[in-house]
Structure formats: structure tokens, C-alpha cells
Amino acid sequence: MNTQELLKKVRKIEIKTRRLSDAVFGGEYHSAFKGRGMTFSEVRQYQFGDDVRNIDWNVTARYNEPYIKVFEEERELTLMLVVDVSSSTLFGTQNQIKKEIITELCATLAFSALQNNDKVGLLLFSDQVELFVPPKKGKSHILRIIRELLEFKPEHKKTDVSGALKYMAGVLKKKAIVFVLSDFMSDDYMKTLQIIGRKHDVTGVRIYDRHEQELPKIGLVQFKDLETGKNLFINTNSKKTRREYAAHHIEKAAYFKNAFTRSDAGAIDLETREDYSKKLLGYFKAR
């Protein structure tokens, strides 16, 4: 992809996802993710209905009438996007492959954070940490993140969710909002997730294609495992084969749900045909 094509693609994604974040997600994002605490803003005269626990007795005594302390939410937060760039995210049988949906989701979340003056960081992983972009504010930084999501070429093909989470925990010293976007085709990340979940506000977004769970009955077919590069011939007419194929992916989905639930983290299942904006909005409202 040359520079001009890349800029056009970044601009197209910006227009689509910024419209979503401006119209819908900015307010829902703010409501869903609270700031780190309350800071003192000012004192003002007491009004009927104010909480008497906020009365400033020193000022009240000085002016001989009640005054209260006003507090504001300390809003600044960090949004960390932990994104799977392994080869399995290049799969898709619908209008978009998983990687394209992940990119749009990340852009929507990033612009929502921008609207709330939060920092945004990016961690790309396969079975290794491929790229870390430290959290920063600003539109130019968000556009850089989108460019990385579009054009970055990973050196490795497999998936290690646990390793990515451990790396993130090492570089983020303060509490952050963490979105892990992957098809979660790996396992053994529950223990790491439970540790991370004690400090950070974590949400997992599992993106999958229906044909990963429902093998079509179309005879003998050659498949290529995108993560190992191996070619396999599979008889899709075999009931046993289709059952085992479905069971493997159902097992991965169940592990994902169980791992995030037991870690007090949020979990979103998103099929490639679904409208990700509705799914994300529903999740925000339910928090």
C-alpha cells in the first residue's frame, strides 16, 4: 500500500468511526468509564437539596451563612488497545475480515477517548509483542494508531494473549481502561488476566466468523492454518469432522467467556456479520 492509498484509507476510517464516536459513544464512554476520583473545585452558597456533608464549616463560620465544597471528577484516564495481529485475524467469509473490524473498533474507541481528553496507547501482539505505542493525547496520535493498525506487518504468526497482558502490566504503572481485541484462539491466559484485572478495567472483545464454528458441507476441501502455515485436506461431508471442528471453536469461546467472567472483566462476543456499533453501545449502557 503506497502512502497516498494509506492516507485515503485512514481518512475513510476516521470519517466513519469519528461520526460514531461523536454521535453516540462519547457520552456513553464517559458514563461507562469513571475518572480516578474527585478533586476540589470551589465553594459556593448552600442551595436547597445540597448534600449537608459537603458543607465547608470554616467558610460558613466566616460569612455566617452555609457554604458547600464543590468537587469535580478527575477525568483523565488512559485507554490501552491490546490488539491481536496474528495470522488468524486475516480470516473472514463475510464483507470484512476480522482485522478490518478490529481496526474500526479501535478507531471508534480511540476517538471516544479523544473526545473525553483521555490518553490512548496501542500494543500489537502475536505470540510476541510486535509493537508498543505509549499512551498520548491528540488527534495526530490517534491517526498514527490507525495507520499502524492498517499497515503494520507482524514478524510472527501465532497468538499469545498471556504474554501480551504481562508486557502491558509491566509498562502501565497506573490504572487504565484496557480493551483486548482478538479472536482468542489461544488459551492459558486466565491466571494472567485475573492478576491484570485487579488493577486495570479490562474488556475482551472476541471477533469470530461463523464459518469457524459451522463448517459448510462442501466435500473434500484443502484448508491452510494461517498461524502454522500447514495445509490440511478435510472431508466436510463427514459429520464427525464437522462436529469436532465445531467443538474446538466452541471450547475456545467458552474459555474466553469463563476467563473474563472469573477475572471480573467485561466480555463481548462479536460475529463478523454483526453491527459492532450496536454491540459496543449495548455493552457501554449495561456497565
Side-chain angles (χ1 to χ4, degrees):
M1 191 186 302
N2 62 41
T3 304
Q4 192 172 6
E5 288 173 340
L6 177 63
L7 290 173
K8 281 183 180 178
K9 206 157 189 178
V10 170
R11 180 61 178 159
K12 185 178 179 181
I13 288 175
E14 180 192 359
I15 291 168
K16 179 178 180 179
T17 58
R18 188 150 197 180
R19 190 181 300 125
L20 276 173
S21 63
D22 288 349
V24 181
F25 291 119
E28 295 298 338
Y29 171 94
H30 184 100
S31 299
F33 303 109
K34 302 298 183 185
R36 291 177 295 188
M38 305 299 288
T39 57
F40 173 74
S41 174
E42 61 178 348
V43 293
R44 63 165 172 79
Q45 284 183 302
Y46 175 86
Q47 297 174 1
F48 179 76
D50 285 336
D51 190 337
V52 295
R53 290 173 295 183
N54 291 332
I55 290 177
D56 186 322
W57 294 108
N58 290 330
V59 177
T60 295
R62 190 182 311 148
Y63 291 102
N64 218 17
E65 57 180 317
Y67 276 76
I68 67 161
K69 296 177 182 178
V70 178
F71 295 88
E72 289 181 348
E73 182 184 358
E74 191 179 354
R75 176 61 227 175
E76 184 179 291
L77 294 169
T78 295
L79 169 67
M80 195 70 214
L81 301 169
V82 181
V83 179
D84 182 356
V85 290
S86 64
S87 294
S88 61
T89 62
L90 300 176
F91 182 81
T93 60
Q94 306 303 314
N95 294 331
Q96 291 179 297
I97 62 173
K98 289 184 276 187
K99 179 185 175 181
E100 291 170 338
I101 294 169
I102 288 172
T103 299
E104 289 191 14
L105 265 168
C106 285
T108 301
L109 289 166
F111 280 121
S112 297
L114 175 67
Q115 211 176 349
N116 285 278
N117 200 35
D118 292 342
K119 295 179 182 177
V120 183
L122 176 68
L123 191 155
L124 303 181
F125 73 95
S126 54
D127 58 346
Q128 305 287 329
V129 172
E130 299 273 355
L131 176 72
F132 173 64
V133 179
K136 283 177 63 178
K137 295 181 182 181
K139 181 182 173 182
S140 62
H141 180 67
I142 303 302
L143 295 178
R144 186 232 165 148
I145 284 175
I146 296 172
R147 285 196 301 272
E148 295 289 3
L149 288 164
L150 284 171
E151 70 171 354
F152 185 82
K153 298 291 188 289
E155 293 184 11
H156 302 268
K157 295 181 177 181
K158 297 182 181 180
T159 310
D160 181 6
V161 176
S162 180
L165 291 174
K166 287 176 182 176
Y167 182 92
M168 186 211 72
V171 295
L172 288 185
K173 303 306 178 186
K174 295 181 179 179
K175 180 179 178 179
I177 302 163
V178 180
F179 273 80
V180 187
L181 300 101
S182 172
D183 52 14
F184 290 93
M185 296 305 289
S186 71
D187 49 25
D188 296 330
Y189 52 83
M190 188 185 295
K191 286 184 180 178
T192 306
L193 184 60
Q194 287 175 332
I195 295 168
I196 301 297
R198 291 176 195 148
K199 180 177 180 180
H200 300 287
D201 188 336
V202 184
T203 299
V205 185
R206 186 178 77 94
I207 296 93
Y208 67 98
D209 189 286
R210 69 186 179 98
H211 287 303
E212 291 176 313
Q213 293 182 189
E214 301 171 15
L215 195 62
K217 191 176 178 181
I218 51 177
L220 189 65
V221 179
Q222 182 179 3
F223 286 84
K224 182 174 183 177
D225 188 318
L226 293 171
E227 296 203 354
T228 65
K230 291 181 179 179
N231 290 312
L232 304 168
F233 284 93
I234 296 177
N235 180 12
T236 61
N237 289 338
S238 165
K239 286 184 180 179
K240 181 184 177 185
T241 298
R242 293 201 307 276
R243 187 165 57 245
E244 289 175 350
Y245 182 88
H248 171 74
H249 288 276
I250 290 168
E251 181 184 333
K252 297 291 185 188
Y255 183 90
F256 162 76
K257 199 77 174 178
N258 188 37
F260 277 80
T261 301
R262 289 180 62 178
S263 305
D264 292 324
I268 302 172
D269 274 308
L270 180 67
E271 205 261 323
T272 51
R273 294 175 299 172
E274 290 184 287
D275 184 339
Y276 67 81
S277 62
K278 289 182 180 178
K279 208 68 180 278
L280 199 58
L281 183 58
Y283 173 72
F284 282 175
K285 288 185 173 179
R287 281 178 61 95

